[in-house]
């Protein structure tokens, strides 16, 4: 097949008018918020569209552009029909197929998958675990163009689903910093299957959509945990678009849940509330009180960021009532982390955002006591939160002791998010170090600690 040269999108360039690419990207983001979409649009994206590199936008951007220019269709905006570019993008296309998805995602047999899981649980090295997962350590990336009419069956769908579980397991143990880049490769392969594959049954297609969406959320979370916030936002938006196309309310609720969390962490508190509320609407018919509890906690976190103490307390009350109804067979698989310890942790963060440090510390203490040690990353996270709350509550000696416990775990966990939290506690403790050997010792150890490459 002959390579295809990108053709500049002059129609889209005319629509931008006198605005800079950055100003136009900001207008796109505002329009997205108006209709409840989330797109990580920036000047670079606008440049890629205008150069013709992006010949057709994804579904989320399509909805935003059509909202911005009522009455227009994709052709009016200078885009090619979706069916003419699916699975190809604007890059040169070759006849050579990529490696099979099984080579990117790991074994397809239950026996070999069990062996991989044992490796994940016993390995002290993120690199070794990632190699077992098949995410590649050599820095190469596989092409994601697949031949038209490729058949997608049970093996491919199972491979995507297993990749989601394996990435979550690795994240529980090691955090996101060492996994994000490697996990992006099977994500590209999964969406290539979604775009270019054909399935024999509707149930297989539904599972593939759900698996690809969940994989996008998992990779988005790795980006979130490692401080790559715009990447995370983009992955969550892709998962949300996939949920809408597939009509999958469970996937939609999960995407909104993570998007709310990201918005809270990046200071977009109002957006956090709106995303949580949208997630609650999607989750209502699913029959999972625990999912409703988690989404209510996301809303509470957003309201705390707005300084809305009353609204935060109401959302916390709803969360406790829903959580008290207990687990259900309708609880999503991805919610295995959401236990009483996480409930306490998220409530601690609400009180912390409201400046009630003593109350935040009480809940963070409970979280650390209740946490299953299997979730190493979360245990480090909870202790980092407790360190910060204790420091701000004036309990500096206890904060230093807890900070040592966090440093003990950072040999196993690679998380920029946790390191940033601990650095915040250090900033509070530093002025108090002069009169305390214990605090000074912790600060010295923190200074000496360096993230592993």
């Amino acid at each position: 097949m002959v390579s295809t040269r990108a053709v500049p999108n002059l129609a889209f360039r005319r629509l931008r008018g006198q605005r800079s690419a950055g100003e136009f990207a900001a207008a796109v983001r505002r329009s997205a918020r108006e209709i409840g979409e989330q797109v990580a649009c920036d000047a670079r994206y606008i440049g890629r569209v205008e150069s013709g590199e992006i010949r057709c936008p994804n579904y989320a951007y399509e909805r935003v552009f059509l909202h911005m220019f009522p009455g227009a269709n994709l052709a009016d905006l200078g885009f090619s029909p979706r069916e003419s570019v699916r699975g190809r993008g604007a890059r040169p296309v070759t006849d050579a197929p990529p490696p099979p998805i099984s080579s990117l995602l790991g074994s397809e047999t239950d026996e070999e998958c069990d062996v991989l899981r044992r490796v994940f649980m016993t390995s002290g090295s993120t690199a070794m675990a990632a190699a077992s997962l098949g995410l590649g350590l050599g820095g190469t990336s596989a092409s994601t163009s697949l031949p038209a009419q490729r058949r997608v069956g049970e093996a491919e769908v199972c491979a995507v689903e297993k990749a989601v579980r394996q990435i979550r397991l690795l994240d529980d143990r090691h955090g996101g910093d060492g996994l994000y880049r490697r996990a992006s490769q099977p994500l590209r392969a999964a969406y290539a299957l979604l775009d270019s594959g054909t399935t024999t049954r509707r149930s297989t297609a539904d599972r593939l959509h759900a698996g690809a969406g969940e994989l996008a959320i998992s990779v988005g979370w790795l980006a979130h945990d490692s401080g790559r916030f715009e990447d995370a936002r983009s992955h969550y938006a892709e998962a949300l678009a996939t949920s809408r196309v597939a009509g999958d309310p469970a996937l939609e609720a999960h995407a909104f849940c993570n998007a709310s969390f990201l918005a809270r962490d990046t200071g977009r508190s109002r957006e956090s509330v709106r995303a949580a509320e949208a997630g609650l609407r999607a989750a209502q018919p699913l029959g999972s009180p625990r999912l409703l509890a988690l989404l209510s906690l996301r809303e509470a976190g957003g309201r705390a960021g707005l300084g809305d103490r009353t609204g935060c307390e109401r959302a916390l009350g709803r969360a406790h009532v829903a959580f008290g109804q207990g687990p259900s067979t309708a609880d999503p698989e991805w919610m295995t982390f959401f236990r009483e310890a996480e409930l306490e942790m998220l409530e601690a963060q609400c009180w912390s955002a409201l400046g009630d440090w003593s109350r935040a510390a009480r809940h963070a203490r409970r979280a650390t006591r209740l946490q299953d040690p299997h979730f190493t990353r979360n245990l480090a996270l909870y202790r980092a939160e407790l360190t910060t709350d204790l420091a701000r509550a004036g309990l500096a000696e206890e904060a230093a002791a807890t900070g040592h416990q966090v440093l003990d775990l950072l040999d196993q966990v690679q998380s920029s998010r946790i390191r940033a939290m601990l650095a915040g506690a250090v900033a509070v403790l530093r002025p108090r170090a002069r009169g305390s050997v214990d605090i000074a010792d912790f600060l010295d150890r923190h200074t000496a600690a360096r993230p592993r490459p």
Side-chain angles (χ1 to χ4, degrees), residues 35 37 58-68 240-242 244-245:
I35 60 173
E37 287 291 357
N58 68 25
Y59 292 102
Y61 276 103
E62 177 182 350
R63 283 188 286 273
V64 175
F65 292 150
L66 298 184
H67 171 68
M68 291 178 70
L240 183 59
T242 303
R244 298 276 178 82
V245 169

Side-chain angles (χ1 to χ4, degrees), residues 12 23 29 31 45 54 99 117 187 190 230 266 271 278 283-284 288 315 371 408:
F12 196 88
E23 290 169 340
R29 296 194 300 270
S31 296
Y45 180 89
I54 296 176
R117 290 192 182 99
L187 176 62
E230 286 306 312
T266 53
E271 180 183 320
Q284 283 294 340
S288 171
Q371 180 56 28
D408 291 341

Side-chain angles (χ1 to χ4, degrees), residues 1-4 55 87-96 145-146:
M1 189 176 292
V2 180
S3 357
T4 304
R55 293 165 55 200
R88 292 177 172 81
R91 297 183 180 88
V93 181
T94 67
D95 288 325
S145 299
L146 293 174

Side-chain angles (χ1 to χ4, degrees), residues 11 34 42 54 83-84 131 209 256 280 299 340 408:
E34 290 171 5
D42 56 13
I54 296 176
E83 60 269 19
S84 72
H209 272 91
F256 274 126
L280 283 164
E299 179 189 341
E340 189 178 357
D408 291 341

Side-chain angles (χ1 to χ4, degrees), residues 233-290:
R233 191 177 175 86
S234 178
H235 288 308
Y236 294 159
E238 192 68 34
L240 183 59
T242 303
S243 75
R244 298 276 178 82
V245 169
D248 187 337
L251 180 59
E252 182 177 357
H254 191 185
F256 274 126
C257 183
N258 277 46
S260 175
F261 192 12
L262 176 65
R264 189 210 70 173
D265 275 3
T266 53
R268 298 178 169 115
S269 299
R270 199 168 301 281
E271 180 183 320
S272 177
V273 172
R274 292 178 61 189
E277 290 174 336
L280 283 164
R281 288 193 294 271
Q284 283 294 340
L286 299 177
S288 171
R290 287 285 167 93

